[in-house]
Amino acid sequence: MRPSPRVERSRKGRMSIATEPTSKFDRFFEITARGSTLSREIRGGIVTFFTMAYIVVLNPLILAGGTDSTGAQLPIAALAAGTALVAGLMTILMGVVARFPLALAAGLGVNALVAYEIAPEMTWADAMGLVVIEGVLIAILVLTGLRTAVFRAVPTQLKTAIGVGIGLFLMIIGLVDAGFVHRVPDAANTTVPVELGLGGKLMTWPSLVFAVGLLFTLVLFVRKVKGAILIGILGTTVLAIIVEAIAGVGSVVTNPHGWSLNVPTLPDKIIDTPDLSLIGQFNVLDSWSTAGWLVVLMFIFTLLITDFFDTMGTMVAVGQEGELLDQEGMPPRTKEILLVDSVAAAAGGAASVSSNTSYVESASGVGEGARTGVASLVTGVLFLVAMFFAPLVKVVPFEAASTALVVVGFLMISTVTKIDWTDYTIAVPAFLTVTLMPFTYSISNGIGAGVISYVVLKVFTGKAREIHPILYGVAALFVLYFARGPLESWVL
């Protein structure tokens, strides 16, 4: 006898039909249990890939731009292949072990730290060895339960603020990547650090393509068209290819009015053989004698704090968007999510492509309907395919992928109403968390400001008993993190 369906109402008021699992695959990934379908998971996985595929191009450019203490540079082709390989394997691991719609790849910010601060003090192998050490340390923190305990210690409303802040962060990433918002070239001589387009004008073809693509995506989304975000990315890419064929805009490297990263042209070849020569080129011992133990410890601490809290924020944001958090703001299989993320950090170092971490762009796939690890399997496989089809991946420009980030940013800020804005001891930390993420371009900075201000305000308003004991230690670590500028100048 066929089981009768159960009608369930989500927290956002949407009606969904839930039935019993239809197969072992369904039961393992909890597709039906989470109100999803296989087609939604596939769509979500594809969208996530397209919104973060840029890392296959951008990570090699950042790492190859640095030189180590011997003057050596890393080859771009090998970096591209390694970036795609590790992202693919770790995202698949996230899907199978944690069964959560979260994709991983080389972390932006961390890769710049490795390329321009750590590598010049030692060899590339030594620098990547520190990344491996950092990943192992985080894994130990997960296995001992400390990382999960820290996550639980953060107040629920502050976790909500983290999700809202990441929504705004995604929006500004999308606007900047698309060239819709630009940094003012000489910001020191003006009170305005950013501007609309170039010189306050939307005067470029890429900006026009982004604006049209965004409006197109929003219309599809508001009309509740299935696959709206994915259709928006693909449609905008087609428009970009047509515009480039007619106008011949080129790259922003040679033309300030050009495309931000990828130039949307059909490639001469579709398949390319990946260069995996950097795999295993790391050393965990020599850096201690080359740069000195104090310098090494400072670098490891910075990597540790950045990875530790960026992942926490990303996990909350993705779970919040997918309505996958429990009453304490915890996603399912929290320990497994954090463990895979830790392994990914070490794997990135072992492959010489810098620490891999969870990507907030995963929320774009969740916005498309993904709720399970199946979406991660799809994204991971596409990254592995990208090793061989790198020329084809480069067709999608920032201006097309960024449309998804703006739409998902809108979706994620809707939970701001769950914060009690009448209680200043939580409202002020929430405000700092929400605003500092986009304005400092860092998830960790926002979380740090929120935690420190929460502890200070609770203590000085006589509400110290409301603070989880672990938060005192976390706040102290963040104080050290924010003070690392003068500390590093003293140490280095």
Side-chain angles (χ1 to χ4, degrees):
M1 182 176 179
R2 186 175 181 178
S4 58
R6 295 182 285 113
V7 179
E8 297 180 345
R9 184 179 295 275
S10 71
R11 293 199 306 272
K12 293 184 179 179
R14 294 193 290 260
M15 301 298 290
S16 61
I17 303 297
T19 63
E20 296 300 321
T22 57
S23 65
K24 290 183 179 179
F25 183 83
D26 186 344
R27 187 177 298 109
F28 179 80
F29 286 103
E30 302 176 347
I31 299 174
T32 300
R34 296 187 186 180
S36 185
T37 63
L38 185 59
S39 61
R40 285 173 60 181
E41 296 301 313
I42 293 174
R43 282 202 313 269
I46 294 173
V47 166
T48 295
F49 171 75
F50 276 123
T51 55
M52 58 185 288
Y54 67 85
I55 196 62
V56 178
V57 178
L58 187 56
N59 189 53
L61 293 178
I62 292 173
L63 289 176
T67 56
D68 66 9
S69 59
T70 67
Q73 291 181 297
L74 297 176
I76 288 183
L79 285 170
T83 298
L85 175 64
V86 177
L89 293 178
M90 293 300 103
T91 300
I92 290 173
L93 188 65
M94 178 67 76
V96 174
V97 175
R99 306 173 210 171
F100 195 68
L102 197 59
L104 303 97
L108 289 174
V110 175
N111 53 7
L113 174 67
V114 171
Y116 302 113
E117 293 188 40
I118 298 179
E121 299 291 328
M122 56 195 75
T123 66
W124 280 110
D126 294 338
M128 295 303 172
L130 293 189
V131 176
V132 173
I133 292 173
E134 175 254 336
V136 171
L137 288 176
I138 293 184
I140 293 173
L141 293 177
V142 174
L143 294 174
T144 58
L146 181 59
R147 197 177 187 190
T148 306
V150 169
F151 185 65
R152 289 185 179 278
V154 177
T156 301
Q157 291 194 62
L158 201 54
K159 289 175 183 172
T160 299
I162 290 171
V164 174
I166 289 178
L168 292 177
F169 186 32
L170 276 177
M171 181 198 70
I172 197 168
I173 288 174
L175 294 177
V176 171
D177 286 351
F180 197 84
V181 170
H182 270 85
R183 298 173 181 85
V184 177
D186 189 11
N189 294 328
T190 179
T191 57
V192 182
V194 294
E195 62 184 4
L196 178 69
L198 286 172
K201 301 175 183 178
L202 290 177
M203 54 190 297
T204 68
W205 282 109
S207 295
L208 177 62
V209 168
F210 167 73
V212 172
L214 178 59
L215 290 174
F216 172 61
T217 306
L218 287 172
V219 169
L220 295 176
F221 174 76
V222 172
R223 292 181 63 87
K224 300 181 179 179
V225 174
K226 287 185 177 181
I229 296 176
L230 178 57
I231 294 172
I233 293 174
L234 296 178
T236 308
T237 299
V238 172
L239 176 61
I241 293 173
I242 295 173
V243 167
E244 176 59 24
I246 297 173
V249 178
S251 171
V252 72
V253 175
T254 56
N255 176 13
H257 297 173
W259 304 94
S260 297
L261 182 63
N262 295 341
V263 177
T265 57
L266 296 178
D268 296 329
K269 59 179 179 178
I270 296 177
I271 300 177
D272 201 2
T273 304
D275 177 0
L276 301 178
S277 60
L278 289 177
I279 306 298
Q281 301 297 316
F282 68 97
N283 189 321
V284 299
L285 298 177
D286 288 353
S287 59
W288 300 87
S289 57
T290 303
W293 67 271
L294 202 55
V295 172
V296 169
L297 286 178
M298 183 62 69
F299 283 143
I300 292 176
F301 173 75
T302 303
L303 289 170
L304 191 69
I305 291 294
T306 302
D307 267 352
F308 193 104
F309 289 99
D310 271 12
T311 299
M312 188 178 81
T314 300
M315 186 170 61
V316 169
V318 172
Q320 192 169 283
E321 172 58 23
E323 300 181 350
L324 298 173
L325 304 181
D326 60 22
Q327 292 181 345
E328 296 180 345
M330 301 285 289
R333 297 186 181 85
T334 297
K335 184 175 181 179
E336 286 83 353
I337 294 172
L338 295 174
L339 183 59
V340 173
D341 184 84
S342 307
V343 172
S352 298
V353 295
S354 184
S355 175
N356 273 229
T357 188
S358 301
Y359 259 57
V360 70
E361 282 88 342
S362 304
S364 61
V366 174
E368 189 59 57
R371 295 294 182 272
T372 76
V374 176
S376 296
L377 297 185
V378 173
T379 304
V381 169
L382 289 175
F383 266 117
L384 295 181
V385 171
M387 285 196 303
F388 302 91
F389 290 86
L392 199 58
V393 172
K394 295 179 182 179
V395 173
V396 181
F398 261 161
E399 289 76 5
S402 294
T403 58
L405 301 184
V406 177
V407 173
V408 174
F410 158 73
L411 292 174
M412 293 178 68
I413 68 170
S414 62
T415 57
V416 71
T417 56
K418 296 181 180 180
I419 299 171
D420 183 3
W421 296 102
T422 62
D423 180 0
Y424 289 171
T425 61
I426 188 64
V428 171
F431 168 74
L432 293 175
T433 300
V434 168
T435 54
L436 286 182
M437 281 189 194
F439 290 143
T440 66
Y441 241 64
S442 169
I443 295 173
S444 292
N445 289 347
I447 295 175
V451 169
I452 291 173
S453 59
Y454 177 81
V455 171
V456 170
L457 292 177
K458 287 293 185 182
V459 168
F460 286 95
T461 55
K463 300 178 180 179
R465 285 179 295 181
E466 298 179 15
I467 304 172
H468 194 291
I470 291 178
L471 279 190
Y472 287 106
V474 173
L477 287 174
F478 268 119
V479 169
L480 291 175
Y481 174 73
F482 287 127
R484 71 187 188 278
L487 287 175
E488 286 177 1
S489 65
W490 172 65
V491 172
L492 302 179

PDB file of all heavy atoms in Angstrom, residues 33 84 103 131 142 151 215 237 318 378 426 478:
ATOM      1  N   ALA A  33      12.673  13.554   3.611  1.00  0.00           N
ATOM      2  CA  ALA A  33      12.498  14.012   4.992  1.00  0.00           C
ATOM      3  C   ALA A  33      12.711  15.514   5.123  1.00  0.00           C
ATOM      4  O   ALA A  33      12.111  16.166   5.990  1.00  0.00           O
ATOM      5  CB  ALA A  33      13.453  13.260   5.915  1.00  0.00           C
ATOM      6  N   ALA A  84      40.690  22.781  -8.427  1.00  0.00           N
ATOM      7  CA  ALA A  84      39.474  22.067  -8.822  1.00  0.00           C
ATOM      8  C   ALA A  84      39.418  20.675  -8.198  1.00  0.00           C
ATOM      9  O   ALA A  84      38.357  20.223  -7.741  1.00  0.00           O
ATOM     10  CB  ALA A  84      39.401  21.956 -10.343  1.00  0.00           C
ATOM     11  N   ALA A 103      29.416  23.487  -0.021  1.00  0.00           N
ATOM     12  CA  ALA A 103      30.555  23.237  -0.914  1.00  0.00           C
ATOM     13  C   ALA A 103      31.810  23.870  -0.343  1.00  0.00           C
ATOM     14  O   ALA A 103      31.748  24.860   0.388  1.00  0.00           O
ATOM     15  CB  ALA A 103      30.264  23.789  -2.302  1.00  0.00           C
ATOM     16  N   VAL A 131      49.725  25.249   6.590  1.00  0.00           N
ATOM     17  CA  VAL A 131      48.294  25.085   6.323  1.00  0.00           C
ATOM     18  C   VAL A 131      47.841  23.685   6.738  1.00  0.00           C
ATOM     19  O   VAL A 131      46.767  23.504   7.315  1.00  0.00           O
ATOM     20  CB  VAL A 131      47.984  25.339   4.834  1.00  0.00           C
ATOM     21  CG1 VAL A 131      46.513  25.063   4.537  1.00  0.00           C
ATOM     22  CG2 VAL A 131      48.331  26.764   4.448  1.00  0.00           C
ATOM     23  N   VAL A 142      37.756  19.600  16.715  1.00  0.00           N
ATOM     24  CA  VAL A 142      36.452  19.014  16.405  1.00  0.00           C
ATOM     25  C   VAL A 142      36.279  17.684  17.129  1.00  0.00           C
ATOM     26  O   VAL A 142      35.251  17.425  17.763  1.00  0.00           O
ATOM     27  CB  VAL A 142      36.283  18.808  14.890  1.00  0.00           C
ATOM     28  CG1 VAL A 142      34.980  18.061  14.593  1.00  0.00           C
ATOM     29  CG2 VAL A 142      36.286  20.138  14.168  1.00  0.00           C
ATOM     30  N   PHE A 151      30.554  26.574  19.150  1.00  0.00           N
ATOM     31  CA  PHE A 151      29.408  26.880  18.301  1.00  0.00           C
ATOM     32  C   PHE A 151      28.119  26.954  19.114  1.00  0.00           C
ATOM     33  O   PHE A 151      27.289  27.849  18.933  1.00  0.00           O
ATOM     34  CB  PHE A 151      29.302  25.825  17.201  1.00  0.00           C
ATOM     35  CG  PHE A 151      28.231  26.110  16.185  1.00  0.00           C
ATOM     36  CD1 PHE A 151      28.320  27.213  15.356  1.00  0.00           C
ATOM     37  CD2 PHE A 151      27.143  25.276  16.059  1.00  0.00           C
ATOM     38  CE1 PHE A 151      27.334  27.475  14.418  1.00  0.00           C
ATOM     39  CE2 PHE A 151      26.152  25.529  15.121  1.00  0.00           C
ATOM     40  CZ  PHE A 151      26.246  26.627  14.304  1.00  0.00           C
ATOM     41  N   LEU A 215      17.773  41.765 -13.074  1.00  0.00           N
ATOM     42  CA  LEU A 215      16.336  42.012 -13.198  1.00  0.00           C
ATOM     43  C   LEU A 215      15.624  40.794 -13.779  1.00  0.00           C
ATOM     44  O   LEU A 215      14.524  40.423 -13.338  1.00  0.00           O
ATOM     45  CB  LEU A 215      16.099  43.238 -14.084  1.00  0.00           C
ATOM     46  CG  LEU A 215      16.496  44.597 -13.473  1.00  0.00           C
ATOM     47  CD1 LEU A 215      16.353  45.710 -14.502  1.00  0.00           C
ATOM     48  CD2 LEU A 215      15.660  44.898 -12.233  1.00  0.00           C
ATOM     49  N   THR A 237      24.774  34.643 -18.961  1.00  0.00           N
ATOM     50  CA  THR A 237      26.004  34.227 -19.643  1.00  0.00           C
ATOM     51  C   THR A 237      25.840  34.296 -21.161  1.00  0.00           C
ATOM     52  O   THR A 237      26.731  34.766 -21.877  1.00  0.00           O
ATOM     53  CB  THR A 237      26.395  32.797 -19.233  1.00  0.00           C
ATOM     54  OG1 THR A 237      26.632  32.758 -17.821  1.00  0.00           O
ATOM     55  CG2 THR A 237      27.647  32.338 -19.963  1.00  0.00           C
ATOM     56  N   VAL A 318      23.946  29.045   5.745  1.00  0.00           N
ATOM     57  CA  VAL A 318      23.389  28.070   4.815  1.00  0.00           C
ATOM     58  C   VAL A 318      22.247  27.297   5.472  1.00  0.00           C
ATOM     59  O   VAL A 318      21.188  27.091   4.866  1.00  0.00           O
ATOM     60  CB  VAL A 318      24.488  27.103   4.321  1.00  0.00           C
ATOM     61  CG1 VAL A 318      23.886  25.967   3.508  1.00  0.00           C
ATOM     62  CG2 VAL A 318      25.518  27.852   3.491  1.00  0.00           C
ATOM     63  N   VAL A 378      26.750  16.854  -6.473  1.00  0.00           N
ATOM     64  CA  VAL A 378      26.669  17.442  -7.816  1.00  0.00           C
ATOM     65  C   VAL A 378      27.744  18.515  -7.996  1.00  0.00           C
ATOM     66  O   VAL A 378      28.473  18.522  -8.995  1.00  0.00           O
ATOM     67  CB  VAL A 378      25.266  18.044  -8.054  1.00  0.00           C
ATOM     68  CG1 VAL A 378      25.231  18.801  -9.392  1.00  0.00           C
ATOM     69  CG2 VAL A 378      24.207  16.956  -8.028  1.00  0.00           C
ATOM     70  N   ILE A 426      21.823  42.522  23.184  1.00  0.00           N
ATOM     71  CA  ILE A 426      21.908  41.605  22.048  1.00  0.00           C
ATOM     72  C   ILE A 426      21.798  42.368  20.731  1.00  0.00           C
ATOM     73  O   ILE A 426      22.401  42.000  19.721  1.00  0.00           O
ATOM     74  CB  ILE A 426      20.830  40.492  22.114  1.00  0.00           C
ATOM     75  CG1 ILE A 426      21.078  39.438  21.012  1.00  0.00           C
ATOM     76  CG2 ILE A 426      19.432  41.070  21.966  1.00  0.00           C
ATOM     77  CD1 ILE A 426      22.367  38.668  21.148  1.00  0.00           C
ATOM     78  N   PHE A 478      39.570  36.580  20.176  1.00  0.00           N
ATOM     79  CA  PHE A 478      39.282  37.581  19.164  1.00  0.00           C
ATOM     80  C   PHE A 478      40.003  38.899  19.441  1.00  0.00           C
ATOM     81  O   PHE A 478      40.383  39.620  18.512  1.00  0.00           O
ATOM     82  CB  PHE A 478      37.773  37.814  19.047  1.00  0.00           C
ATOM     83  CG  PHE A 478      37.115  36.955  18.006  1.00  0.00           C
ATOM     84  CD1 PHE A 478      36.118  36.055  18.351  1.00  0.00           C
ATOM     85  CD2 PHE A 478      37.502  37.029  16.681  1.00  0.00           C
ATOM     86  CE1 PHE A 478      35.508  35.265  17.403  1.00  0.00           C
ATOM     87  CE2 PHE A 478      36.897  36.237  15.715  1.00  0.00           C
ATOM     88  CZ  PHE A 478      35.906  35.354  16.080  1.00  0.00           C
TER      89      PHE A 478
END
